[in-house]
Amino acid sequence: MCHNRSAFSKDRRRVFPQPARSVLSVQGPRRGRRRDPDNAAHEDDATMNQPKIKRDPEGTRRRILLAAAEEFANGGLFGARVDQIARRAETNERMLYYYFGSKEQLFTAVLEHAFSALNEAERTLELNGIAPVEAVTRLAHFVWDYYRDHPELLRLVNNENLHEARYMQKSTRIREMISPIVATLGSILERGQRAGLFRTNVDPLRFYVTLSGMGYYIVSNRFTLEATLGRDFSSASERSEVVQMNTELLLAYLLRK
């Protein structure tokens, strides 16, 4: 029996019904979910109560100084690179210029910081109540030990000498930091003179420069001394002998015969 096309189409629609269109297909784009007022208040409070990162300007400045001291001691003013200093200090170049203004000003600040550390260490010495001969000996040994333990100070000073103290002269603090130890030495010399132990007319500043130079030279030139003379004056045994000899030289000059 034959069926016409119209009847067949109706029967096919009954057997294979058309799938219903998805509700999502006829809806417009979904709008963002509205925040519940109560939940929103709690979320805002939680955000406000989150710990904030505190700025530490003094810590940043100190890290820059310490990093710059190493870079300047190793490469000098012209050899040190600002980006390396910033990287070592875990900051950026912008902060370096913010705190110090320029590379040259940073170099001056490093020199001041180095002499400030020496000055603070000198303040730990208590020499007023000690006999003059022992006081001079302790002061000399302290200076020589400090140079041995802080060779970076000597490298900084050596580099500044290449610049003829151009940057150190811009600082009034460094001279002020050297003055107290010279005054202390002057007081010791005066006590020794009153006791009849020391010779008179000893200039404290000249004596300090001589004392300082004895320890400075052996540390500052230890590599070239070993290369040219074949002896390591930084070894414990050699240093002990040199310290003993320098101490006797100082006292031989000071003590009245």
Side-chain angles (χ1 to χ4, degrees), residues 29-232:
R30 296 184 65 186
R31 297 181 180 179
R33 181 176 60 87
R34 296 183 61 185
R35 298 173 65 192
D36 181 77
D38 293 333
N39 290 336
H42 290 303
E43 291 174 1
D44 292 340
D45 290 341
T47 301
M48 294 177 62
N49 292 330
Q50 287 180 354
K52 296 181 180 179
I53 299 176
K54 295 182 179 180
R55 300 194 176 195
D56 183 16
E58 288 301 319
T60 301
R61 190 177 189 278
R62 179 174 177 80
R63 289 199 309 274
I64 293 173
L65 276 175
L66 295 177
E70 292 190 34
E71 291 293 326
F72 286 137
N74 293 330
L77 173 60
F78 295 145
R81 291 173 46 183
V82 172
D83 60 332
Q84 292 286 0
I85 295 173
R87 186 177 297 109
R88 185 187 289 269
E90 298 181 350
T91 185
N92 53 59
E93 296 180 39
R94 182 178 62 83
M95 297 305 296
L96 186 149
Y97 289 115
Y98 174 79
Y99 284 112
F100 297 98
S102 68
K103 183 181 179 182
E104 290 74 16
Q105 288 175 299
L106 175 58
F107 183 64
T108 301
V110 165
L111 289 170
E112 291 178 342
H113 184 266
F115 278 97
S116 176
L118 172 60
N119 179 259
E120 290 178 8
E122 289 171 343
R123 291 179 184 275
T124 63
L125 291 171
E126 297 180 358
L127 304 175
N128 291 332
I130 300 176
V133 173
E134 178 63 20
V136 168
T137 302
R138 288 193 187 185
L139 177 59
H141 290 185
F142 165 81
V143 172
W144 299 339
D145 288 347
Y146 193 90
Y147 289 165
R148 177 201 61 193
D149 297 336
H150 299 84
E152 69 280 358
L153 170 63
L154 277 58
R155 292 199 297 269
L156 288 169
V157 173
N158 286 342
N159 188 258
E160 175 63 349
N161 274 305
L162 295 177
H163 302 292
E164 300 179 350
R166 180 187 312 164
Y167 303 100
M168 194 176 288
Q169 289 174 357
K170 297 178 181 180
S171 170
T172 58
R173 294 185 57 213
I174 293 177
R175 185 171 298 180
E176 293 173 354
M177 286 184 281
I178 295 296
S179 298
I181 191 64
V182 176
T184 299
L185 179 58
S187 176
I188 296 171
L189 295 176
E190 186 178 349
R191 288 195 290 116
Q193 290 165 356
R194 288 200 307 265
L197 298 172
F198 295 162
R199 62 190 296 175
T200 58
N201 300 324
V202 178
D203 182 80
L205 184 57
R206 290 197 193 100
F207 191 81
Y208 176 78
V209 170
T210 302
L211 178 157
S212 176
M214 286 178 165
Y216 190 105
Y217 183 86
I218 204 73
V219 175
S220 178
N221 297 277
R222 62 191 183 280
F223 299 116
T224 52
L225 287 173
E226 183 176 3
T228 56
L229 303 178
R231 184 178 295 182
D232 181 11

